[in-house]
């Protein structure tokens, strides 16, 4: 049986820049997610480096951190039964070219970097990521 879960979602700079916030939030709500908390912020590059620390050895790490801190983002706590997995399904594959029809990245993603949304990949990481942005 699944449990009520929370996961962290980020609407990335490419999507905020194209005014896709409301459309993406509607997709979450239509799938039964409750947006428990949200805020629009702009990260310093050093914050992005901390957030994506798990990727620090990857060749794309620097570009990724530059990108996430390049403009405003919307960070949200999403809640529903099975939120972590359901959010990953709704986002679609990391590279929008491989994302299935009906997913956020298929609909709005521009490239593997500008893929419009981030979502926690496990329950443990969801807790860490939620705490990173909403710890007060
Ligand atoms: P996200 O879910 O935010 O997690 C890490 C991000 O790194 C990922 O989405 C992509 O936007 C970005 N990225 C860039 N290149 C790659 C790659 N080769 N493999 C995985 N992620 C990549």
């Amino acid at each position: 049986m699944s449990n009520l879960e929370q996961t962290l979602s980020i609407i990335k700079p490419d999507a905020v820049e194209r005014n896709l916030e409301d459309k993406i939030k509607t997709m979450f709500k239509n799938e039964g997610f409750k947006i428990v908390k949200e805020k629009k912020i702009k990260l310093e590059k050093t914050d992005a480096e901390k957030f994506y620390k798990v990727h620090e050895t990857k060749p794309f790490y620097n570009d990724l951190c530059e990108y996430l801190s390049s403009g405003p983002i919307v960070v949200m706590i999403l809640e529903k039964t099975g939120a972590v997995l359901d959010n990953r399904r709704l986002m679609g594959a990391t590279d929008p070219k491989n994302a299935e029809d009906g997913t956020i990245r298929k609909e709005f993603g521009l490239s593997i970097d500008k893929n419009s949304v981030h979502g926690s990949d496990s329950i443990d990481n969801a807790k860490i990521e939620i705490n990173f942005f909403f710890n007060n």
Side-chain angles (χ1 to χ4, degrees):
M1 202 174 76
S2 309
N3 293 314
L4 192 63
E5 288 173 9
Q6 292 188 336
T7 191
L8 185 92
S9 172
I10 302 178
I11 303 179
K12 294 187 180 184
D14 67 275
V16 174
E17 193 178 7
R18 286 176 291 149
N19 291 314
L20 296 171
E21 273 172 71
D22 288 346
K23 284 184 178 150
I24 291 174
K25 284 182 197 168
T26 298
M27 289 175 83
F28 287 130
K29 288 175 194 165
N30 287 346
E31 286 297 312
F33 289 94
K34 183 176 167 193
I35 300 172
V36 176
K37 283 188 187 173
E38 63 176 300
K39 60 184 179 184
K40 189 187 263 186
I41 53 175
K42 186 174 178 304
L43 296 181
E44 297 297 329
K45 190 178 175 199
T46 49
D47 298 320
E49 286 167 353
K50 280 181 208 145
F51 179 72
Y52 276 133
K53 196 166 178 22
V54 62
H55 294 301
E56 72 181 332
T57 60
K58 310 271 175 62
F60 55 84
Y61 179 63
N62 186 58
D63 287 350
L64 176 62
C65 297
E66 284 278 359
Y67 169 61
L68 194 72
S69 56
S70 67
I73 58 173
V74 178
V75 291
M76 295 170 289
I77 300 175
L78 303 181
E79 186 175 86
K80 78 180 285 236
T81 302
V84 173
L85 197 57
D86 281 5
N87 181 37
R88 292 188 68 77
R89 278 200 204 103
L90 179 58
M91 288 194 300
T94 306
D95 187 342
K97 283 204 297 280
N98 303 325
E100 291 190 17
D101 286 349
T103 63
I104 294 171
R105 286 166 169 165
K106 173 74 177 192
E107 193 99 344
F108 301 122
L110 300 173
S111 66
I112 194 164
D113 301 298
K114 298 184 173 181
N115 62 358
S116 301
V117 281
H118 166 84
S120 310
D121 65 1
S122 66
I123 293 177
D124 285 348
N125 281 337
K127 287 178 185 150
I128 293 167
E129 293 183 356
I130 287 169
N131 191 47
F132 183 88
F133 285 110
F134 297 97
N135 59 353
N136 41 22

